[in-house]
Amino acid sequence: ADDRVHGRLPERGLARFASQPTTVAGGPAHGRRFLITWLVLSAILTPIVAIYLGPTIPPGNGSVEATGQDVGDVAVDVGSVTTTGDSSNGIVASNIYGNTTVNVGDVATAGDDSAGVDAPSVLGGVSVTSTGSISTKGTGSIGVLAYAQAGDTDVTVGDVSTTGDNSPAVEAIGYNASVTVNGDVSTAGYSSPG
């Protein structure tokens, strides 16, 4: 007869081991394995979620504030701006879905990679108007960059001067782009078109 069927333990010494606690040296590492797996999956999946699901995660268009940030126009109206450090643009007014408008008097930047006015829009138009002078002194410091990927660009400036290398005076890029200069344009650096 089978001892298991009748509820008796076999007499092979198993009862003797059942009363003693069993331990493994160091204990099970389930918590450590879970933590390592979680960290690896988080490092892989976080950028994927941010890229593909990020645009649909709130605030999106769910609130008045978010709607203005997402599809509204950007307008900057300022008298004068001066910056001295590297990577210190005078004015940056960017937008994705709406129009970008910049009205400024004088702008002066002295550091490298410091544009006077940087005004991009992906799906809207861009308008930049300067009634004063725009000057940049650093390398890679464009005077005015107006960029509309799918819209029109209109730039009206007075005097524009750049002295650094790779520092164009005015760049207007758009579906239809127009530039009006009501002053003097000068560039002194290498690869710096007017």
Side-chain angles (χ1 to χ4, degrees):
D2 189 357
D3 293 332
R4 291 176 290 177
V5 175
H6 300 290
R8 295 176 285 184
L9 292 174
E11 306 238 330
R12 295 184 204 128
L14 292 178
R16 172 178 52 148
F17 292 113
S19 64
Q20 297 176 356
T22 57
T23 60
V24 178
H30 299 299
R32 188 173 339 136
R33 278 187 253 153
F34 174 79
L35 180 64
I36 291 171
T37 303
W38 178 73
L39 289 172
V40 170
L41 288 175
S42 294
I44 293 169
L45 295 176
T46 298
I48 292 171
V49 169
I51 291 169
Y52 294 107
L53 295 178
T56 63
I57 295 174
N61 290 331
S63 66
V64 174
E65 292 83 7
T67 302
Q69 294 170 4
D70 197 22
V71 295
D73 295 338
V74 171
V76 175
D77 192 359
V78 65
S80 64
V81 176
T82 302
T83 66
T84 56
D86 290 345
S87 299
S88 300
N89 295 328
I91 295 174
V92 176
S94 63
N95 204 340
I96 295 175
Y97 299 109
N99 296 316
T100 302
T101 304
V102 175
N103 293 309
V104 64
D106 297 322
V107 178
T109 66
D112 291 341
D113 300 312
S114 300
V117 177
D118 183 4
S121 179
V122 176
L123 297 176
V126 174
S127 173
V128 176
T129 303
S130 172
T131 57
S133 65
I134 297 175
S135 66
T136 66
K137 294 182 180 176
T139 299
S141 299
I142 188 168
V144 176
L145 173 60
Y147 173 75
Q149 184 172 344
D152 296 336
T153 302
D154 181 35
V155 177
T156 302
V157 293
D159 295 333
V160 180
S161 66
T162 65
T163 57
D165 292 342
N166 300 311
S167 301
V170 178
E171 284 190 12
I173 303 165
Y175 187 75
N176 291 306
S178 68
V179 176
T180 303
V181 178
N182 296 321
D184 296 324
V185 173
S186 65
T187 60
Y190 173 77
S191 187
S192 299

